[in-house]
Amino acid sequence: MARVPLVKAAVLGAVILLLVLLVVQPFGWVLFNSLHDDATGAWTLNNYARVVQSAELIEPLVNSLILAAATALIAVGIGVPLAWLVSRTDLPLRRTIRVLTLTAFVTPSFIGATGWILLAAPNSGWLNSAWRWLAGEGAGAPLNIYSMAGAIFVCGIYTVPYSFTMVSSALDEMAVELEDAATTLGCGVLRTMVSITIPLAAPAVIASFILSFIQGLTLFGVPAFLLTPTGIPVVTTKLAEFYQLFPPEIYLAAAYCMPLLLVTGALFWMRRRYLGRKQYVTISGKTRAGRQIRLGGWRWPALFLALLVPLVSVFLPYAALLMVSLTRAWGQGLSWENLSFYWYWWAIFGNSETHTAIVNSLVYSTLGATLCVALGTLVAYIVERRLMVGASLLGAVATVPIVIPGIVLSVGFFAAYTRAPLNLYGTPLLLIAAFAATFLPIAYSHGGSILKGIGPELERAARSLGAGEARTFLSITLPLMGGGLVSGWFLVFIPIIRELSVAVFLITPKTNVMTTLIYNAKDGGNYEAVCAMSVLLLLITLFLVAVARPLAGLTGARRTSRKTATAAGVPS
């Protein structure tokens, strides 16, 4: 009998240790380093004084806030109406628009930026070249992607899917009896939307605005590709600059991370305070599909506007990437003689560095997602089943990375694990751990949502028959969670394989992944190779999404868990 509490204690100890290593220690080292001087190593507040007093350091902060605010406004301003059109109206091609928006969702924004460089660079961009061909050689370039406006545009269009997905999900799952009642009582479409639909969807709109703001604030790839060439700094590119100095100013970089952390933390606190004062509860017996709003003569203009997002985020950049990747030399233009699969052969077979990066991406993403889902699920189980005193504290720690920008967490892992006794720099384990920590909140939240749908009655019955916690979890709970865990694994795997900001400070030539290899190759100006590698990464990601969608249907297992309990003779 002593083995049962021993196993339980060992599992709890392992979970706590992993949370400390993946979350607490990296963040602790960021804070610790920020209070030390780079030259002497002495304790000091001078780093913070430099951040608030130096115009050179304040400018990137201001630029980052401008980029983030504009990105969030674009994402919500376009994503919310688009979600309403798809979920609530008779807009044609609604399913197609959802699929195309998902395609934009899984497209790394820095790859989208590469596509728009090919389209809208002032001198060589194809859209500018087409304009000069139409207006005459003396005409200037109407588009300049190398600008703050260009970065806002790219960040905005690749953040719209966040807002669209969250709000459309809220609208799809919303009980519509109140809307139908308002319509029955004579309320028009606009009044029903303002008085019923918008208040019920407000939490999703606010959450999408905050998430979009954080995306714009913490993105590294788009500013590095579009703003660095013009000398416009933001916080993330300035952090990279600190590491490229000789000697690197690592302690100043740690202090410079804090404004990002304060802003993201304040946004989540404001969201919690705002939504905490409100109740968004719909009392109804069942939810059914809402009555579609007929757009009448506005159907086709609305469809045209709805297709603009996929056009600028998928069709145009994808076409540019594909065409350049199929040319032997981009500068020679499109011709039969210049068409070639050379760069794909080079990427897959002819270049060992690229081949290694592809293998690394798949291996690290697989291991990182597995570790993340395993840890997130165990923490969720401990919290939901209250297996220890202070279990909610473990849940809070698992959620902390959601307010820590990826690049800040990367700085923390660099600080924590590039020194004795755990000098992991240059090892795959460092990247795998950083990936797992970054997306731990997703795995924890997903695991918690599954467990909330699984009644504890079967677990109690198993324990009453003498089964321990470990055996109960493995034989009862885990099988019931199976389908949901598969979809959760893909939910973590896909963002890991496309992640750049977390990896950029931690990779070495031996541990390069696809995203960092594309980032490094872009500086060399070999756009044919960059485009071929980008297309390969997109194909891998889209293939995984196609595989994940059918498997996501397995999450129905959690919906039937209560039926399973009843069939087994346990009251649900």
Side-chain angles (χ1 to χ4, degrees):
M1 295 297 293
R3 291 181 59 191
V4 174
L6 186 62
V7 172
K8 180 179 177 180
V11 172
L12 292 175
V15 168
I16 293 171
L17 178 62
L18 282 173
L19 287 176
V20 170
L21 293 176
L22 295 181
V23 179
V24 178
Q25 184 159 315
F27 175 69
W29 273 105
V30 172
L31 183 61
F32 179 83
N33 283 351
S34 71
L35 297 170
H36 287 76
D37 183 77
D38 277 294
T40 65
W43 288 85
T44 181
L45 292 175
N46 187 52
N47 293 325
Y48 290 99
R50 288 180 62 183
V51 170
V52 298
Q53 293 175 1
S54 171
E56 183 183 356
L57 298 181
I58 292 176
E59 181 189 359
L61 288 170
V62 174
N63 289 338
S64 289
L65 292 173
I66 293 172
L67 179 61
T71 297
L73 289 173
I74 291 174
V76 173
I78 296 176
V80 173
L82 183 62
W84 180 78
L85 284 172
V86 170
S87 300
R88 284 287 191 267
T89 72
D90 62 346
L91 181 76
L93 302 177
R94 293 190 302 278
R95 183 183 294 272
T96 301
I97 292 171
R98 282 186 187 272
V99 172
L100 291 174
T101 305
L102 178 63
T103 303
F105 184 80
V106 301
T107 302
S109 56
F110 68 91
I111 288 181
T114 303
W116 274 99
I117 289 172
L118 302 174
L119 292 166
N123 298 323
S124 58
W126 291 348
L127 296 179
N128 286 323
S129 298
W131 171 255
R132 282 190 288 265
W133 181 75
L134 292 172
E137 287 299 325
L143 302 175
N144 181 11
I145 201 65
Y146 292 114
S147 62
M148 179 60 79
I152 289 171
F153 168 74
V154 173
C155 288
I157 62 174
Y158 286 102
T159 309
V160 164
Y162 288 89
S163 180
F164 170 83
T165 303
M166 297 179 72
V167 177
S168 63
S169 296
L171 292 173
D172 290 340
E173 297 173 4
M174 186 184 297
V176 296
E177 285 83 352
L178 288 178
E179 293 175 305
D180 289 346
T183 303
T184 302
L185 293 173
C187 291
V189 173
L190 183 60
R191 185 175 179 184
T192 300
M193 185 188 308
V194 172
S195 60
I196 304 295
T197 310
I198 291 178
L200 290 176
V205 175
I206 294 169
S208 67
F209 180 88
I210 291 174
L211 184 61
S212 301
F213 189 97
I214 293 173
Q215 279 289 111
L217 188 69
T218 60
L219 279 176
F220 172 74
V222 174
F225 279 33
L226 302 182
L227 296 182
T228 299
T230 61
I232 301 175
V234 294
V235 172
T236 52
T237 56
K238 194 67 178 177
L239 284 170
E241 185 180 316
F242 288 142
Y243 278 78
Q244 292 164 358
L245 296 173
F246 185 80
E249 294 188 284
I250 296 175
Y251 294 167
L252 178 59
Y256 204 54
C257 288
M258 291 304 165
L260 289 182
L261 191 61
L262 290 175
V263 171
T264 54
L267 285 170
F268 277 97
W269 178 81
M270 290 170 60
R271 172 181 175 271
R272 186 181 184 91
R273 290 277 296 180
Y274 176 77
L275 297 181
R277 294 196 302 265
K278 298 179 179 293
Q279 295 294 326
Y280 297 89
V281 178
T282 301
I283 302 174
S284 62
K286 63 178 180 177
T287 299
R288 56 187 174 82
R291 185 184 300 118
Q292 284 188 348
I293 297 170
R294 301 183 66 84
L295 296 175
W298 290 98
R299 291 180 78 219
W300 300 108
L303 176 62
F304 173 77
L305 293 175
L307 288 174
L308 284 179
V309 173
L311 177 67
V312 298
S313 61
V314 178
F315 291 119
L316 287 176
Y318 275 38
L321 291 167
L322 184 61
M323 284 190 287
V324 171
S325 70
L326 292 173
T327 59
R328 185 63 184 262
W330 176 36
Q332 295 179 11
L334 293 175
S335 64
W336 287 110
E337 295 78 14
N338 196 31
L339 289 178
S340 171
F341 286 99
Y342 169 78
W343 293 107
Y344 289 100
W345 179 91
W346 170 86
I348 299 173
F349 303 109
N351 184 277
S352 59
E353 188 178 21
T354 307
H355 182 267
T356 300
I358 294 173
V359 173
N360 286 348
S361 290
L362 294 172
V363 172
Y364 299 169
S365 299
T366 299
L367 296 177
T370 303
L371 173 61
C372 185
V373 170
L375 179 59
T377 302
L378 285 173
V379 174
Y381 183 72
I382 293 169
V383 173
E384 292 296 326
R385 299 300 188 252
R386 300 178 182 177
L387 298 186
M388 60 174 286
V389 177
S392 58
L393 180 60
L394 296 185
V397 174
T399 310
V400 163
I402 201 171
V403 300
I404 302 178
I407 200 161
V408 176
L409 201 61
S410 178
V411 170
F413 269 84
F414 185 91
Y417 298 116
T418 56
R419 65 185 75 217
L422 294 176
N423 188 356
L424 301 178
Y425 187 69
T427 67
L429 185 58
L430 182 62
L431 278 169
I432 293 168
F435 287 144
T438 302
F439 298 102
L440 181 60
I442 296 177
Y444 167 69
S445 177
H446 189 75
S449 67
I450 299 172
L451 286 165
K452 282 182 172 66
I454 299 176
E457 293 82 7
L458 282 177
E459 298 170 19
R460 292 171 185 163
R463 285 195 294 271
S464 69
L465 294 173
E469 292 286 354
R471 185 176 179 184
T472 299
F473 177 79
L474 293 174
S475 61
I476 304 292
T477 312
L478 193 61
L480 291 175
M481 297 180 71
L485 292 181
V486 171
S487 64
W489 187 88
F490 278 102
L491 196 65
V492 174
F493 180 94
I494 290 168
I496 286 179
I497 202 171
R498 58 193 283 272
E499 177 61 38
L500 173 63
S501 60
V502 173
V504 70
F505 292 148
L506 304 177
I507 56 98
T508 63
K510 291 184 179 180
T511 58
N512 249 326
V513 291
M514 286 289 287
T515 53
T516 55
L517 195 63
I518 292 170
Y519 169 71
N520 293 331
K522 188 264 179 187
D523 288 339
N526 187 349
Y527 277 93
E528 298 87 352
V530 169
C531 290
M533 289 187 289
S534 298
V535 171
L536 287 174
L537 180 59
L538 289 171
L539 289 175
I540 293 171
T541 306
L542 293 174
F543 170 77
L544 291 170
V545 171
V547 171
R549 284 177 66 84
L551 291 176
L554 295 173
T555 56
R558 71 174 182 267
R559 300 190 186 99
T560 61
S561 59
R562 292 186 181 274
K563 295 180 180 179
T564 303
T566 303
V570 180
S572 62

